[in-house]
Amino acid sequence: MRTIRLIAATALLLAGCEVTEVTSNQTADSGPVATASAGTDEQAIRALNDRWLQLIRDRDSAAIGELYAEDGAVMPQGEPIRVGRSAIAAWWAKSMEMPDYSLTFDEESVTVSQSGDMALDRGTWQFSATPESGPVRDSGKYVVVWRKIGNEWKVAADIFNSDGQQAGNPPS
Amino acid sequence: MRTIRLIAATALLLAGCEVTEVTSNQTADSGPVATASAGTDEQAIRALNDRWLQLIRDRDSAAIGELYAEDGAVMPQGEPIRVGRSAIAAWWAKSMEMPDYSLTFDEESVTVSQSGDMALDRGTWQFSATPESGPVRDSGKYVVVWRKIGNEWKVAADIFNSDGQQAGNPPS
């Protein structure tokens, strides 16, 4: 059961709309550019979050892998890190095999660097599934760091963990 | 035991020296500034990591709290998020109360944004302690996102999780 719960907890995506802008300007000559692009960058990340959620519903692990940078990492709770798109896609494929797999996410804040090439996204996630051993449910928190590679935002690091025992979880 | 192990896993710090620079320049007019400051920023973060490790050895939870941004967050495995320095310092104080508490960390990569106001730091950690219930040991991975507030790098988000069962851990 423990293993299943940990695999379940791995599912980390982003959703929601609450976004915080970087408003301070510590590097004078990049300020205007950052200010002009911040809204666009946030919108791009939000759109990617929406796409990510849809890809989960579609069980499209290959396309989810493409959301990550080539050297991106998923860092699942209770499992070793996976680096690189193919390893990441394989991890997602395995996770999503669980019956009744459901994963939702809510951003709490998105902070974009002044240069518009890095963003901190943190929030919460909720998971449930019905493996043969019985229903599992878990929830927790995540950090995703986005980097702009060329003109595209990609996931550089994706890490998450559980807040603890949840109703519906078997004792671990 | 589970609770103790999860609290143990919370100890997240940074150490080590392997650093990766951002070399691409996507925002032309911030490029020269970013290039000039990147080394300095990495050195500053590395120095903070060294300081953080020393503060752990000193069991100085108040000073550890000051390493975080005012709205910074520690996101411990198996526990709710703590936001703000006083809540974070209290969490560290409680964690470090364990007998024979030991925590080490190794950076795998540090990536600084072009504007030099945000950095992604990811790596590994190792923990051990000897509570009354018997020796515990755990290891895993972390992401720390640094932001430059004024002229100082501060921890905006600090999240980590275990790689799984380790030798010396009791069954959970």
Side-chain angles (χ1 to χ4, degrees):
Chain A
M1 282 317 296
R2 174 183 172 78
T3 301
I4 289 170
R5 204 170 70 87
L6 291 176
I7 290 174
T10 51
L12 171 58
L13 278 196
L14 314 173
C17 297
E18 194 175 343
V19 174
T20 303
E21 284 197 27
V22 176
T23 52
S24 61
N25 286 318
Q26 288 140 13
T27 306
D29 59 350
S30 69
V33 173
T35 302
S37 64
T40 304
D41 287 326
E42 291 168 10
Q43 288 165 18
I45 289 171
R46 275 197 271 174
L48 286 168
N49 293 340
D50 290 342
R51 174 168 164 73
W52 201 342
L53 284 169
Q54 184 59 50
L55 293 173
I56 295 264
R57 290 189 289 268
D58 295 342
R59 305 289 191 262
D60 190 343
S61 57
I64 293 172
E66 295 297 316
L67 295 175
Y68 292 74
E70 284 188 15
D71 60 351
V74 65
M75 301 161 77
Q77 177 174 281
E79 299 181 56
I81 188 173
R82 267 76 160 183
V83 177
R85 288 174 179 162
S86 66
I88 290 167
W91 177 83
W92 274 98
K94 182 181 174 190
S95 299
M96 295 191 297
E97 281 175 359
M98 270 181 285
D100 301 327
Y101 177 95
S102 171
L103 186 61
T104 58
F105 317 89
D106 294 285
E107 294 168 357
E108 281 192 5
S109 66
V110 175
T111 306
V112 180
S113 71
Q114 292 175 35
S115 42
D117 63 330
M118 187 179 288
L120 162 60
D121 192 344
R122 75 166 173 82
T124 58
W125 54 266
Q126 300 81 38
F127 164 81
S128 64
T130 313
E132 289 183 8
S133 47
V136 290
R137 190 183 306 171
D138 202 0
S139 61
K141 49 214 174 299
Y142 73 78
V143 164
V144 167
V145 177
W146 296 84
R147 288 188 63 199
K148 197 182 275 178
I149 312 289
N151 285 321
E152 290 187 296
W153 284 101
K154 295 290 184 182
V155 176
D158 172 4
I159 184 169
F160 41 93
N161 60 34
S162 171
D163 286 341
Q165 293 286 347
Q166 299 295 316
N169 271 345
S172 63
Chain B
M1 283 316 297
R2 174 182 172 78
T3 301
I4 289 172
R5 204 170 72 84
L6 291 176
I7 290 174
T10 51
L12 172 59
L13 278 197
L14 314 173
C17 296
E18 194 174 344
V19 173
T20 304
E21 284 197 26
V22 176
T23 53
S24 61
N25 287 317
Q26 287 141 15
T27 306
D29 59 350
S30 69
V33 172
T35 302
S37 65
T40 304
D41 287 326
E42 292 167 10
Q43 289 165 17
I45 289 171
R46 276 197 269 172
L48 286 168
N49 293 340
D50 290 342
R51 173 169 164 74
W52 200 341
L53 284 169
Q54 183 59 51
L55 293 174
I56 296 263
R57 289 189 289 268
D58 295 342
R59 305 289 191 263
D60 191 343
S61 57
I64 293 172
E66 295 297 317
L67 295 175
Y68 292 74
E70 284 187 15
D71 61 350
V74 64
M75 301 161 77
Q77 177 175 281
E79 298 181 57
I81 188 173
R82 266 78 160 183
V83 177
R85 289 175 179 162
S86 65
I88 290 168
W91 176 83
W92 274 97
K94 182 181 174 190
S95 299
M96 295 191 297
E97 281 175 0
M98 270 182 284
D100 300 328
Y101 177 94
S102 171
L103 186 61
T104 58
F105 317 88
D106 294 285
E107 295 168 355
E108 281 191 6
S109 66
V110 175
T111 307
V112 180
S113 71
Q114 292 174 39
S115 42
D117 62 330
M118 186 178 289
L120 162 61
D121 192 343
R122 77 165 172 82
T124 58
W125 55 265
Q126 300 80 39
F127 164 82
S128 64
T130 313
E132 288 183 8
S133 48
V136 291
R137 189 183 306 171
D138 202 0
S139 61
K141 48 213 174 298
Y142 74 77
V143 165
V144 167
V145 178
W146 298 83
R147 288 187 65 201
K148 196 183 276 179
I149 313 291
N151 285 322
E152 289 188 298
W153 284 100
K154 295 291 184 183
V155 176
D158 172 4
I159 184 170
F160 42 93
N161 61 33
S162 172
D163 286 342
Q165 292 286 348
Q166 299 296 315
N169 271 344
S172 63

